[in-house]
Amino acid sequence: MHRTTWVEFNSKALRHNAAMVRRLAPESAILAMVKANGYGHGADWVADQLRGIVDGFAVARHSEALTLRAAQPNSRILLLGTEVDDGLLQDCATQKLDIVIHELGAAKLLANTILPQSITVWLKLNTGMNRLGMCNKDFCEAHSVLSGSPNVAAIHHMTHFSDAETDSPAATDRQFQLLHSLSTSLGEFPVSMANSAAIIRHPQTHLDWVRPGIMLYGDDPTTHLAGVDSLLPAMTFKAKVLAVREVEKGEGVGYNQRWQASAKTRIATVAAGYADGYPRQAPDGTPVLVNGELARLAGRVSMDLLTVDVSHIPSVNIGDIVTLWGDSKLSAAEVGRHCNTISYELFTRITARVDRVYL
Ligand SMILES: Cc1ncc(COP(=O)(O)O)c(C=O)c1O
């Protein structure tokens, strides 16, 4: 098929990044975050590539868990915080899904239902994110309601950090202490806290299970990994040049002529727009690579197209390849910084019409 707009997924990069998690947290089991379709990389593909390298997978929606289970009959799959009802619990039991219990009502429901098989539960403590998770009192009550229940195969304890990527460790230390002391007061249970940033910057939080997401896909939210420790981009977003033209000084480009030529300029029109997942909010000056050379956006991103100033790259021609992100010279994080967003959002917004190429 004729291809103008595509994402390449690199299994070597994915496995390199997983190996980096293993190196940084050698004593911990790894629960790979493959929610949101593997951060846009394809949950089935990611799980397939990482099977045998990591120790389980986590998703955020019931539908994601069922799809992944069909592809991964024997892997541990954790369903993160969701609404819990009897139907969901039955499904978790028959599909062998671990489940996060983040509120006391769900713990009581689990204790009082009749299941064909017991479930492993991950009790979530709210330590400061104030999103999901129980207060100390409810956590202890949930723990006591579920310990000894025939419906519960094992209890894990978890929390999620709000600030692990920042330069100030105070919030993370506080969150760590809150779960650590509560968990040890209840006995010896597997504990999980660390997301990517904590894996990289807060080794004391690694404990029994780490939960890397974004670092598997090649972005270091702390920007601390460098040199041989660098992560590799698992996704590269590419599109072709569809047209090249010269505009005269004083002419505008694109909708509302937001970008104005201050001198005669060569403009390349590229087959990627917001309907492909390139952010519409990208300002003039956002970097792209044209045939590997840095060039900058000139004009508003439209539904199917974007425009780039290529005056300094005279060889540019129709059919040439533009890398929008996912290269050692241009990370998704850098594009995100220009667009007031993060790589997580860029990755998960690639739309269905973009071709997927698995390397
Ligand atoms: C509960 C939970 N754990 C771990 C992660 C992974 O975070 P990151 O992608 O920053 O590693 C997430 C992602 O948002 C999450 O919601």
Side-chain angles (χ1 to χ4, degrees):
M1 192 191 41
H2 182 65
R3 177 174 283 150
T4 60
T5 314
W6 69 102
V7 270
E8 291 173 357
F9 297 110
N10 184 326
S11 61
K12 267 197 196 151
L14 188 68
R15 285 199 290 261
H16 165 92
N17 300 335
M20 191 61 61
V21 176
R22 188 64 82 198
R23 245 186 65 199
L24 292 169
E27 308 294 326
S28 309
I30 300 174
L31 197 67
M33 294 288 128
V34 297
K35 61 193 178 130
N37 198 24
Y39 286 45
H41 294 64
D44 285 357
W45 175 76
V46 173
D48 219 32
Q49 299 305 316
L50 296 184
R51 194 174 26 192
I53 298 177
V54 302
D55 305 282
F57 303 99
V59 293
R61 300 282 184 258
H62 187 192
S63 57
E64 292 183 316
L66 296 181
T67 309
L68 189 61
R69 172 54 79 221
Q72 298 284 332
N74 301 315
S75 300
R76 182 193 286 262
I77 297 173
L78 172 64
L79 177 53
L80 294 166
T82 190
E83 184 190 24
V84 176
D85 61 14
D86 192 57
L88 181 84
L89 293 173
Q90 300 294 332
D91 242 15
C92 289
T94 53
Q95 298 288 320
K96 298 192 177 60
L97 304 172
D98 291 14
I99 188 171
V100 168
I101 297 291
H102 61 87
E103 56 100 25
L104 183 55
K108 289 180 176 165
L109 185 68
L110 173 55
N112 291 322
T113 193
I114 295 170
L115 295 180
Q117 247 158 336
S118 58
I119 305 176
T120 292
V121 299
W122 298 59
L123 294 184
K124 187 165 192 173
L125 183 70
N126 173 25
T127 53
M129 179 75 105
N130 288 319
R131 206 175 55 164
L132 293 178
M134 291 174 271
C135 64
N136 282 21
K137 179 171 158 294
D138 285 2
F139 186 92
C140 292
E141 191 176 339
H143 184 94
S144 112
V145 161
L146 293 177
S147 352
S149 162
N151 290 335
V152 175
I155 297 179
H156 293 46
H157 292 162
M158 70 179 288
T159 193
H160 190 45
F161 293 129
S162 57
D163 288 80
E165 78 285 5
T166 62
D167 281 334
S168 155
T172 304
D173 288 346
R174 193 176 149 273
Q175 287 187 269
F176 168 77
Q177 283 305 334
L178 284 171
L179 178 57
H180 184 64
S181 56
L182 190 62
S183 180
T184 46
S185 79
L186 292 170
E188 250 192 54
F189 294 89
V191 180
S192 175
M193 303 194 195
N195 56 2
S196 298
I199 291 166
I200 296 163
R201 293 202 66 180
H202 303 281
Q204 81 280 13
T205 69
H206 290 173
L207 305 167
D208 303 288
W209 284 87
V210 292
R211 304 192 309 270
I214 200 71
M215 71 180 292
L216 290 173
Y217 306 106
D219 186 14
D220 165 11
T222 71
T223 67
H224 270 234
L225 296 177
V228 290
D229 288 339
S230 297
L231 302 170
L232 301 174
M235 171 196 287
T236 309
F237 188 10
K238 293 185 174 174
K240 282 190 178 166
V241 172
L242 298 184
V244 183
R245 79 191 61 254
E246 292 204 329
V247 299
E248 298 297 329
K249 180 177 175 181
E251 282 193 276
V253 172
Y255 283 115
N256 312 128
Q257 310 217 316
R258 180 182 74 181
W259 184 87
Q260 298 276 323
S262 56
K264 191 173 186 170
T265 305
R266 266 163 72 78
I267 295 288
T269 303
V270 181
Y274 59 80
D276 300 296
Y278 193 89
R280 183 177 179 274
Q281 71 266 28
D284 293 334
T286 303
V288 304
L289 300 175
V290 179
N291 292 337
E293 279 194 60
L294 181 68
R296 298 198 178 269
L297 203 74
R300 241 185 242 299
V301 174
S302 53
M303 187 181 284
D304 313 309
L305 302 167
L306 55 82
T307 38
V308 178
D309 179 349
V310 291
S311 305
H312 58 299
I313 320 175
S315 62
V316 174
N317 223 325
I318 291 174
D320 285 355
I321 293 179
V322 177
T323 301
L324 301 162
W325 64 69
D327 184 278
S328 56
K329 284 200 267 178
L330 180 61
S331 67
E334 186 180 349
V335 176
R337 278 190 286 280
H338 282 264
C339 302
N340 196 23
T341 186
I342 50 177
S343 60
Y344 301 65
E345 189 179 34
L346 297 178
F347 291 158
T348 54
R349 286 207 164 182
I350 298 287
T351 61
R353 76 176 186 182
V354 177
D355 290 333
R356 268 73 176 163
V357 179
Y358 290 93
L359 303 177

